[in-house]
């Protein structure tokens, strides 16, 4: 069920500024791919092009090709709205909709798209919250606003919200950077479970986290301010961390740089 | 958990992602069909006249486009196209009177509008004769609006700061808020009457540019308060907290963080208020009346102004004076436009790039 993503020769521009240059990589299905690299090297930028989220930034555009299995997601007959409901996203800062209840947040993606029967919704809410390991904590207060939850719970709520629309791929941009170690652990365990069913791409600044959760790691780097970010090296996580081929990768993961 | 498991084949994935779209030329084709259809119909039906045919063509276009889109692209796009068409029509409908007014004022105003018109006054000019100018009124309006802005904008901003930052929905804040709303609705002549009875009759202030400025500021205050209040409320709490956490006192937080963050909106609101009062006539007639020559001193004696100038020229009723009235209206519109543009430029220049 989960799909693979193939990126080839991707350039991303913000207006005239080339932010990312010539990225070619493959994201394997039912596995976790981690993007690491110093700040500003374009990890978030690449991630957002994977579900066409960059298109909401005025002036942002890409060159190159991104395939989801056999579908070119930038093809002429492809609708970006549909792409985003197939490739879900979780952001760095937990962002539950403040005016909606916990229940409302989980069904937001479904209800804002089409009408669904209440009983069906109930099932989806329970399944999604269980999927995000949050059900036990919130099942008695589904009608409370999402903002009453702790930061880690809010982030899991956002994950529940993202999986409720049954995506094929889940993109996460530093999902734990605003969380405490316990919540981080909870999310990492969740990622382990989710990868049985989804293709996952995660951006992280935490080397240990990349080592713990990912199967494949891609290292991005930037030559200097104003220069475009590039993919330096991509390999199985074990290889990247034990025997990187590039000097820059080794420096970065050993903390000598960045 | 099974609910969330969705295995999909390549074909399903394609259906999921793709969206059949009508080629671009269909819009034009539908448009042409609708016009042709409605023209045809105008021969055989009671619907007649250009207006009737146009309305019918429009309705036909909407039906055709929505139907076609629904059949080919599905519900979401059909609704999208319908809504887009309706929005664009609403926009056009709103723009037609605006453009028409601007064009009329421009065309008729240009009869008398020239350099001489901007640099001379009506002193010793007979209403019947062409010539004369508007300089005295321009000076008067600029001074009166400047006085109004100098009183109204600070008062309005301070009131809004009180309401948002200090009022905390107290009884006083709610009362002020209520009366600000009420003030938005008072007819401008009431503001004029207030200054006339309160300042001129009771306190013995002269009829002057100052009195006019005060009455205009009364009209400005509610607009400034409302817009500033909305903008201040939009400033996120995090930002205030970030500043407090640096040990910055509350008043400096408001001055250095909150107000600058909201400045674009505040300036826009203030400009709207200025634009609103620049064209007011009624309160000026009560508070400064008018003269035909330059009075640069706003604290002493009657002053001319653009709206009263237009009013005066129209009341004279001769061809020459009506031409001058149109030219005066044109000057007024240009003035508001220039004020507006300069405020926008200032706002843009002060923003961090
Ligand atoms: N909306 C934008 N407009 C213009 N430039 C942008 C925009 N977003 C990002 N950039 C630029 O693109 C480059 C890559 O940014 P990006 O956010 O992808 O970096 P990142 O690797 O995610 O960094 P971090 O680890 O700090 O999140 C940076 O130079 C940044 O300044
Ligand atoms: Mg980032």
């Amino acid at each position: 069920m989960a799909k693979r993503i193939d990126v080839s020769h991707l350039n991303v521009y913000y207006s005239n500024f080339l932010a990312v240059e010539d990225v070619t990589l493959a994201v394997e299905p039912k596995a976790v791919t981690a993007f690491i690299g110093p700040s500003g090297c374009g990890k978030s930028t690449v991630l957002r092009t994977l579900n066409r989220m960059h298109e909401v930034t005025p002036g942002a555009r890409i060159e190159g090709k991104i395939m989801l299995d056999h579908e070119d997601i930038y093809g002429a007959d492809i609708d970006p709205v549909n792409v985003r409901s197939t490739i879900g996203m979780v952001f760095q800062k937990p962002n539950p909709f403040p005016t909606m209840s916990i229940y409302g947040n989980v069904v937001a993606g479904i209800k804002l798209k089409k009408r669904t029967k209440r009983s069906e919704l109930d099932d989806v809410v329970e399944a999604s919250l269980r999927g995000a390991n949050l059900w036990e904590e919130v099942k008695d207060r589904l009608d409370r606003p999402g903002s009453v939850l702790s930061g880690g719970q809010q982030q899991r709520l956002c994950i529940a919200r993202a999986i409720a629309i049954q995506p094929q791929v889940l993109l996460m941009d530093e999902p734990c950077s605003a969380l405490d170690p316990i919540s981080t652990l909870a999310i990492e365990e969740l990622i382990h479970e989710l990868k049985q069913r989804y293709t996952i791409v995660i951006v992280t600044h935490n080397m240990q986290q990349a080592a713990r959760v990912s199967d494949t790691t891609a290292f991005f780097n930037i030559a200097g301010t104003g220069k475009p970010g590039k993919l330096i090296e991509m390999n199985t996580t074990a290889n990247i961390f034990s025997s990187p081929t590039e000097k820059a990768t080794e420096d970065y993961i050993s903390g000598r740089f960045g | 958990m099974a609910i969330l498991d969705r295995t999909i084949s390549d074909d399903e994935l394609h259906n999921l992602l793709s969206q059949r779209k009508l080629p671009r030329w269909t819009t034009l084709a539908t448009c042409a069909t609708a016009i042709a259809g409605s023209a045809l119909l105008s021969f055989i039906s009671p619907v007649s006249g250009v207006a009737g045919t146009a309305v019918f063509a429009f309705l036909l276009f909407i039906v055709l486009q929505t139907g076609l889109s629904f059949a080919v692209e599905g519900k979401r796009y059909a609704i999208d196209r319908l809504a887009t068409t309706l929005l664009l029509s609403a926009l056009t409908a709103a723009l037609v009177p605006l453009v028409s007014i601007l064009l009329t004022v421009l065309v008729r105003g240009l009869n008398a509008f020239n350099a001489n018109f901007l640099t001379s006054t009506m002193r010793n000019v007979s209403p019947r004769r062409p010539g004369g100018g508007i300089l005295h009124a321009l000076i008067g309006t600029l001074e009166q609006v400047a006085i109004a802005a100098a009183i109204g904008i600070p008062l309005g901003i301070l009131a809004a700061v009180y309401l948002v930052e200090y009022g905390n929905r107290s009884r006083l804040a709610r009362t002020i808020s209520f009366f600000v709303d009420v003030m938005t609705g008072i007819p401008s002549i009431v503001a004029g009457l207030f200054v006339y009875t309160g300042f001129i009759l009771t306190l013995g202030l002269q009829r002057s540019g100052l009195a006019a400025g005060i009455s205009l500021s009364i009209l400005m205050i509610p607009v400034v308060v409302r817009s500033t209040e909305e903008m201040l409320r939009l400033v996120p709490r995090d930002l205030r907290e970030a500043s407090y956490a640096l040990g910055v006192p509350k008043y400096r937080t408001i001055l250095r963080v909150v107000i600058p963050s909201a400045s674009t909106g505040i300036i826009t609101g203030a400009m709207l208020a200025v634009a609103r009062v620049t064209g007011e006539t009624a309160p000026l007639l009560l508070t400064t009346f008018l003269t035909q020559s330059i009075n640069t001193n706003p604290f002493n004696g009657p002053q001319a102004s653009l709206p009263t100038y237009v009013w005066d020229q129209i009341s004279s009723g001769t061809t020459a004076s009506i031409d001058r009235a149109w030219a005066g209206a044109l000057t007024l519109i240009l003035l508001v436009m220039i004020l507006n543009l300069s405020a926008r430029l200032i706002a843009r220049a002060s923003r961090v790039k």
Side-chain angles (χ1 to χ4, degrees), chain B residues 82-123:
Chain B
L82 177 65
T84 310
T85 312
L86 291 181
L87 282 179
L88 283 180
S89 335
L91 178 71
T92 320
L95 280 181
V96 165
L98 195 71
V99 172
S100 144
I101 288 174
L102 282 179
L103 277 183
T104 317
V105 172
L106 193 66
V107 170
R108 307 191 72 160
L110 283 177
N111 284 339
F113 190 85
N114 52 38
N116 184 45
F117 181 74
L118 287 178
T119 51
S120 56
T121 70
M122 290 306 291
R123 198 179 159 86

Side-chain angles (χ1 to χ4, degrees), chain B residues 117 122 133-134 136-137 305-313 324 328:
Chain B
F117 181 74
M122 290 306 291
I134 205 166
H136 58 310
S305 65
L306 290 174
T308 53
Y309 176 90
V310 172
W311 175 80
D312 181 42
Q313 293 302 319
R324 279 194 289 265

Side-chain angles (χ1 to χ4, degrees), chain B residues 144-165:
Chain B
Q144 290 153 22
V145 171
I147 292 173
I151 303 172
I153 294 177
L155 271 185
I157 292 180
L158 287 176
V161 166
Y162 171 75
L163 288 178
V164 177
E165 305 288 338

Side-chain angles (χ1 to χ4, degrees), chain A residues 14 17 19 37-46 57 92 174 205 222:
Chain A
Y14 288 107
F17 171 64
S39 189
C41 65
K43 305 176 297 290
S44 303
T45 300
V46 171
T57 310
Q92 175 168 4
E174 302 181 37
H205 276 290
I222 184 169

